[in-house]
Amino acid sequence: MELFLTANLAPIMFGALVIFLLSGFPVAFSLAANGLFFGLVGIELGLLNIELLQALPNRIFGIMANDTLLAIPFFTFMGLVLERSGMAEDLLDTIGQLFGPIRGGVAYAVIFVGALLAATTGVVAASVISMGLISLPVMLRYGYDKRLASGVIAASGTLAQIIPPSLVLIVMADQLGRSVGDMYKAAFVPGLLLTVMYAGFVLLISIFRPKMVPALPLEARNLREPNGDSGVRSLLALLVGATAASYAFARYYGAGHPALAADELGIFSAGVGIVGAFLFALLNRHLKLGLLSRMAERVVFVMIPPLALIFLVLGTIFVGLATPTEGGGMGAAGAIILAMLNGRLSWGLTKQAMHSTTRLACFVIFILIGSTVFSLVFRGVNGDLWVEHLLSSLPGGSTGFLIVVNLMFFLLAFFLDFFELAFILVPLVGPVADKLGIDLIWFGVLLGVNMQTSFMHPPFGFALFYLRSVASKEVKTSDIYWGAIPFVLIQIIMVALIITFPRLVSVEKKVDMHEQLELKIDTPSSEESAPPPEQKQDDEAPQLNFSTDTDKK
């Protein structure tokens, strides 16, 4: 028995952890208790030295001193303040009016606002609850299908897990030992593509099942002009003007700074266009020029403040002016300023946001401490080598590895949330992916898209629980579950697309700056050029010829 335990302690330890988790015991304490118990077993069997456990205090202090993790409470606080200050309500009402005349317009508005909230909050619960309270009654009132309405709201809320500043990307970057800023850049295109795929699904429904997604009736559109005009042409003219200003700035500034990266130039140019449109709308309102319609003014004053916050946070991170932690701090301060300008900042709002932020931050830290205890002992009993041998010997090489790992994450997401998956499994599969030559930034984004499904899995998806808590009794739980399934399939398709077309994830190829140096030491031959003994001086040194040759391999 002792020989069996000694040879198989790592798989036994992993199996015991699964049993602990399925029993419903708190994850953080399951990890820590499992690690300490098998640490003592390993010491008793002679596999571990007792000195190994003395590394735990240093590891725990290292977690507390990790500056990267500070971004989590900053972005959480920013999202909660924005959500409680009524920004989501204003956005949904305005965008719903804008898209209302077309079939599925409210669904498009929910998807668009979900992406916008994801880029400002990064918190799934805030997005799903806000849109469930505001848009679900409107969609049901005007005849939307219950399942489709529920699925659109739940799926749009989960965009906060892949569109920066996503909390899961911060955790993935920390666990994989990569830059959060690089992870944000890499996830930007997949997040937008997933948003487009959601909208494409609604478009197909509006074509083949138009009764499921009716347009808003005329009496529900309250931003029309006195003459009955929608005011969209004025908005389009403003959009064209802002785009022209952005393009002109890009041509002029780009010509003067040819070394500037394309993404940085795009951020600067978009910022110029957004600021220009906002200033023009302000002049139009205060000088009463009458150049903009009610719809155009409403869209500008409701959408541009959160867009400005997005550019303040993500723009400074992408350009390199701020770290993600500093960007999160600026975002939290910006959210307070926006709430103050809207007249909605109060002590009660701030207290609720701080309370929720503290709970989430403590939750993350305790899980991370528990996973540190588990990983220390697991590596001590050669568990990492067991996992590496298990996964690297799969048929199909790196492709087989990616398929098996994604299936494992997908199945475990039925029972575990993304924090637990990131802290338990990512440290185990990350080193194997690195040894197989898989870029860890790309791998992290791929797993992030996969773990996004953990919020949509019936029957344990957290987004479904959030929506159930705010949905009326008219919407059955089965409607929410069935509505989520098409969007889970879309997320699975997105995972397959990333594996098939890796360039969808923009990973910068690092230039190899290693310069090959060749050291040549020319010394006189002992037979040909050795001087007579009487001419040789004691202080004579061999001639050394140093040269670099970068052409030779």
Side-chain angles (χ1 to χ4, degrees):
M1 185 64 179
E2 183 175 340
L3 293 176
F4 176 79
L5 288 176
T6 303
N8 299 280
L9 191 60
I12 293 173
M13 183 177 179
F14 189 80
L17 175 64
V18 174
I19 295 174
F20 262 115
L21 294 176
L22 294 179
S23 68
F25 201 70
V27 176
F29 302 116
S30 297
L31 288 165
N34 197 43
L36 290 176
F37 173 76
F38 280 96
L40 296 176
V41 172
I43 292 172
E44 186 67 25
L45 295 175
L47 291 175
L48 299 176
N49 293 323
I50 195 171
E51 290 81 7
L52 179 70
L53 299 182
Q54 294 178 355
L56 285 177
N58 286 334
R59 285 193 164 215
I60 293 174
F61 280 116
I63 293 171
M64 303 303 295
N66 191 342
D67 292 338
T68 302
L69 296 178
L70 274 176
I72 294 177
F74 281 145
F75 284 125
T76 304
F77 181 79
M78 178 183 75
L80 293 173
V81 169
L82 291 175
E83 182 263 330
R84 286 172 170 78
S85 65
M87 184 192 73
E89 182 178 355
D90 294 340
L91 283 171
L92 281 168
D93 180 57
T94 303
I95 306 303
Q97 292 290 325
L98 180 62
F99 290 107
I102 63 176
R103 292 189 181 276
V106 181
Y108 292 130
V110 168
I111 294 171
F112 183 80
V113 173
L116 199 59
L117 289 176
T120 52
T121 64
V123 182
V124 171
S127 299
V128 174
I129 291 174
S130 297
M131 293 189 293
L133 286 171
I134 301 163
S135 62
L136 185 58
V138 175
M139 298 171 82
L140 297 179
R141 185 185 312 140
Y142 295 113
Y144 272 71
D145 181 77
K146 298 176 186 177
R147 296 181 178 181
L148 179 66
S150 303
V152 166
I153 292 173
S156 301
T158 61
L159 288 173
Q161 289 308 293
I162 192 61
I163 295 180
S166 163
L167 300 184
V168 68
L169 294 179
I170 297 174
V171 175
M172 294 293 291
D174 177 71
Q175 293 299 301
L176 292 173
R178 293 297 184 266
S179 166
V180 178
D182 291 342
M183 195 74 76
Y184 278 178
K185 289 182 182 180
F188 199 73
V189 172
L192 292 181
L193 182 58
L194 196 58
T195 306
V196 172
M197 292 173 69
Y198 288 167
F201 175 72
V202 175
L203 177 62
L204 292 176
I205 293 295
S206 66
I207 294 174
F208 296 103
R209 298 285 182 89
K211 292 184 179 180
M212 296 177 64
V213 285
L216 285 180
L218 188 63
E219 61 272 12
R221 307 172 203 164
N222 53 23
L223 285 180
R224 302 176 66 85
E225 297 298 297
N227 61 0
D229 185 64
S230 63
V232 174
R233 285 178 295 180
S234 173
L235 178 61
L236 290 176
L238 181 63
L239 180 61
V240 170
T243 304
S246 298
Y247 178 76
F249 176 82
R251 292 293 300 270
Y252 174 77
Y253 194 77
H257 301 77
L260 191 66
D263 55 349
E264 296 182 11
L265 182 61
I267 291 172
F268 292 149
S269 303
V272 168
I274 291 173
V275 171
F278 189 75
L279 292 178
F280 182 80
L282 279 178
L283 289 175
N284 180 76
R285 169 176 287 188
H286 289 290
L287 299 180
K288 298 182 179 179
L289 300 176
L291 298 176
L292 295 178
S293 63
R294 293 178 59 197
M295 174 70 75
E297 278 198 0
R298 180 71 178 271
V299 169
V300 168
F301 290 121
V302 169
M303 284 189 58
I304 286 187
L307 283 176
L309 189 61
I310 292 172
F311 276 93
L312 174 67
V313 176
L314 297 182
T316 53
I317 294 174
F318 288 173
V319 172
L321 296 177
T323 65
T325 302
E326 295 166 346
M330 289 190 295
I336 293 176
I337 293 173
L338 286 182
M340 187 184 303
L341 293 177
N342 291 332
R344 294 170 176 173
L345 184 65
S346 64
W347 171 244
L349 182 149
T350 308
K351 185 178 179 180
Q352 289 179 3
M354 293 180 66
H355 181 261
S356 299
T357 301
T358 303
R359 289 185 60 187
L360 179 64
C362 292
F363 172 75
V364 172
I365 292 298
F366 268 95
I367 289 183
L368 187 52
I369 291 174
S371 67
T372 298
V373 177
F374 175 82
S375 64
L376 178 66
V377 177
F378 193 68
R379 290 177 184 274
V381 297
N382 295 324
D384 53 337
L385 299 178
W386 171 69
V387 172
E388 179 182 342
H389 177 73
L390 189 67
L391 296 178
S392 60
S393 59
L394 292 170
S398 59
T399 304
F401 165 79
L402 290 173
I403 293 173
V404 170
V405 167
N406 277 280
L407 283 175
M408 180 174 63
F409 272 79
F410 179 79
L411 294 175
L412 288 177
F414 278 94
F415 313 102
L416 305 175
D417 68 7
F418 74 94
F419 277 126
E420 296 159 0
L421 290 171
F423 287 135
I424 298 172
L425 293 182
V426 172
L428 299 180
V429 300
V432 183
D434 194 25
K435 289 189 177 181
L436 290 174
I438 299 173
D439 187 274
L440 291 186
I441 294 290
W442 181 89
F443 186 63
V445 173
L446 175 66
L447 293 184
V449 175
N450 193 330
M451 286 192 288
Q452 187 182 351
T453 61
S454 67
F455 281 89
M456 294 286 292
H457 277 317
F460 302 115
F462 283 95
L464 309 182
F465 292 157
Y466 298 146
L467 184 59
R468 175 70 276 173
S469 67
V470 297
S472 62
K473 294 182 179 179
E474 180 184 357
V475 180
K476 300 179 181 178
T477 303
S478 60
D479 294 330
I480 297 176
Y481 286 170
W482 281 109
I485 291 176
F487 294 93
V488 173
L489 295 177
I490 291 174
Q491 291 172 345
I492 295 174
I493 293 172
M494 188 66 208
V495 171
L497 286 176
I498 292 177
I499 295 176
T500 308
F501 305 101
R503 292 182 179 272
L504 289 175
V505 179
S506 55
V507 178
E508 294 184 4
K509 296 299 182 182
K510 304 298 182 183
V511 179
D512 186 9
M513 299 302 294
H514 175 70
E515 183 178 17
Q516 296 184 9
L517 299 178
E518 183 175 329
L519 180 63
K520 297 180 179 179
I521 303 179
D522 297 334
T523 61
S525 173
S526 59
E527 297 180 358
E528 299 177 359
S529 57
E534 63 272 8
Q535 295 180 2
K536 189 173 182 179
Q537 304 295 326
D538 293 336
D539 57 350
E540 185 178 0
Q543 296 180 358
L544 302 180
N545 180 20
F546 295 91
S547 66
T548 60
D549 188 354
T550 57
D551 295 330
K552 295 183 178 181
K553 301 295 180 183

